Amino acid sequence: MKKRLIRITALAVLSFLIISCQSAGKSPDYSDPASWAYFAEGKDKDADLFLICPTVDMGEEGNLNMSMDDEQAKSSFIGALNMERGIYDERTEMYAPFYRQMTFPVYQERKAEEGEYLDTAYSDVKDAFIYYMEHINGGRPFILAGFSQGAQMVLLLLEDLFDEPALQDSLIAAFCIGWKVTKEDLDAYPHLRMAKGEYDTGSIISFNSESVETEDSIIIARGTETLGINPLNWRTDSVKADKALNKGACFTDYSGSIVKEVPNLSGAYLDPERGTLKVTDVDSKDYSSDLFPDGVYHLYDYQFFFRNLEENVGDRIDSWMDENS
């Protein structure tokens, strides 16, 4: 009876290990181009872009990290990158690693800021970035960028690695959009700098879009104060930017095509308490989704301000080049 119990226990442990392994799999080998969604995409550009994908794996199979063997998830991964890459394409050569990202249920349950699932995702991103710096970069200036989970990974890279002056000097900007950056982050990592205007380099550009009425979201919980900048007037105070400053909202698909462009769609201002970007002049019912409550415009952070962000990428590259000429 005792031997049978031991055998059953051993089988249970083995089953758990197999499920865990299937959930995440082994870490990618970034010397293999197949481990990159995009590798050296776009030649003869002014700068490099290290772009980190947002959450695309919905965890429908019960997995909490994306598997590198899931071809459907990897296809969605490329599609999500395509939706935002147009902001950077004109001026940058793109590198975007596949990584074992956390799946949506981890965020839904608000467990994405510590633990093994975060460790798995970040370890891949860090490995990819170190490989990029050691074997590819060659001293070129670069932009770090990400949206949602991708922005969370950007912030972790900045905290972890960018106290090195050589990295700071080569960083044009970090577009950390759709994730929170707080005063506590800056206190803990004094080398972090938030953008104060449209031309400063080596700084973090961050904001989180929501309706005027919204007071809580998965990204910015009630009672949290985040730091940000308004992509319409490039101010960090609560001065309202009129929708006339919005150069164009662009709604893109998984191919990267702009299926609809709307100039002057919305104005915006930073909430003086939450620090979030309050979007005016739109009806939340027109931008609802199955993933977020009405008024949480997380899915539209890039799209509402597409042309302003596209222009700003060029402005910051030019500014870095002027400073380093």
Side-chain angles (χ1 to χ4, degrees):
M1 180 68 178
K2 185 176 181 180
K3 287 183 179 179
R4 184 181 178 191
L5 182 60
I6 292 171
R7 191 180 301 114
I8 291 171
T9 303
L11 286 171
V13 171
L14 180 61
S15 296
F16 173 79
L17 291 173
I18 291 172
I19 290 170
S20 298
C21 187
Q22 289 175 340
S23 174
K26 64 181 181 179
S27 59
D29 173 9
Y30 290 107
S31 67
D32 182 355
S35 295
W36 296 80
Y38 283 106
F39 188 88
E41 179 78 6
K43 293 292 186 180
D44 302 319
K45 301 296 179 72
D46 297 313
D48 285 353
L49 169 69
F50 190 88
L51 182 62
I52 308 174
C53 188
T55 308
V56 296
D57 192 327
M58 294 295 103
E60 294 171 350
E61 302 300 321
N63 57 309
L64 297 174
N65 287 97
M66 187 181 105
S67 168
M68 291 296 97
D69 297 323
D70 188 335
E71 295 302 323
Q72 183 175 348
K74 289 168 80 173
S75 177
S76 296
F77 197 106
I78 292 170
L81 290 169
N82 288 342
M83 292 184 75
E84 60 195 68
R85 60 176 284 189
I87 287 169
Y88 307 98
D89 267 349
E90 185 176 347
R91 302 289 299 272
T92 63
E93 181 175 312
M94 178 169 58
Y95 297 86
F98 286 119
Y99 69 102
R100 294 170 296 170
Q101 63 172 227
M102 292 175 282
T103 60
F104 187 70
V106 182
Y107 286 91
Q108 203 168 29
E109 296 172 16
R110 306 197 183 195
K111 296 179 179 178
E113 296 187 59
E114 60 182 4
E116 61 181 306
Y117 310 116
L118 172 63
D119 292 344
T120 295
Y122 177 62
S123 67
D124 286 357
V125 171
K126 182 178 179 179
D127 287 349
F129 181 73
I130 290 174
Y131 182 86
Y132 160 77
M133 289 303 304
E134 291 181 348
H135 299 279
I136 301 167
N137 176 265
R140 279 168 57 80
F142 62 90
I143 288 172
L144 277 180
F147 165 59
S148 193
Q149 181 168 178
Q152 181 185 11
M153 297 297 136
V154 166
L155 181 61
L156 290 174
L157 283 175
L158 293 171
E159 292 175 345
D160 191 9
L161 302 178
F162 278 74
D163 56 346
E164 293 291 334
L167 284 178
Q168 293 173 12
D169 291 345
S170 296
L171 178 64
I172 295 170
F175 286 82
C176 189
I177 296 169
W179 187 252
K180 62 181 179 292
V181 185
T182 66
K183 185 177 182 299
E184 289 73 23
D185 292 321
L186 301 192
D187 290 342
Y189 301 94
H191 60 276
L192 299 183
R193 291 190 298 109
M194 300 300 294
K196 300 298 183 184
E198 64 263 56
Y199 300 113
D200 46 349
T201 61
S203 58
I204 300 169
I205 297 92
S206 183
F207 59 84
N208 289 271
S209 307
E210 62 186 24
S211 70
V212 173
E213 298 79 16
T214 297
E215 296 179 352
D216 181 58
S217 73
I218 290 175
I219 307 299
I220 312 295
R222 188 187 307 273
T224 301
E225 182 180 355
T226 188
L227 304 172
I229 194 166
N230 187 332
L232 296 184
N233 59 15
W234 299 107
R235 298 178 66 109
T236 58
D237 56 23
S238 296
V239 170
K240 294 183 179 180
D242 188 82
K243 66 180 182 179
L245 294 175
N246 192 322
K247 297 177 185 296
C250 294
F251 300 92
T252 52
D253 62 19
Y254 262 19
S255 74
S257 298
I258 295 172
V259 296
K260 183 181 180 182
E261 181 166 356
V262 186
N264 313 131
L265 173 70
S266 66
Y269 66 94
L270 292 175
D271 186 282
E273 295 180 2
R274 283 173 58 74
T276 48
L277 187 67
K278 296 296 189 179
V279 179
T280 60
D281 308 297
V282 298
D283 187 337
S284 62
K285 300 293 185 185
D286 294 334
Y287 299 98
S288 61
S289 76
D290 295 333
L291 299 178
F292 302 101
D294 287 355
V296 177
Y297 298 134
H298 182 66
L299 297 179
Y300 300 99
D301 278 333
Y302 267 79
Q303 304 206 1
F304 277 171
F305 311 104
F306 194 98
R307 293 300 185 195
N308 294 73
L309 290 168
E310 180 183 39
E311 179 180 75
N312 189 245
V313 167
D315 287 342
R316 292 186 194 275
I317 290 174
D318 290 341
S319 183
W320 188 94
M321 290 183 166
D322 287 344
E323 292 170 4
N324 291 274
S325 61

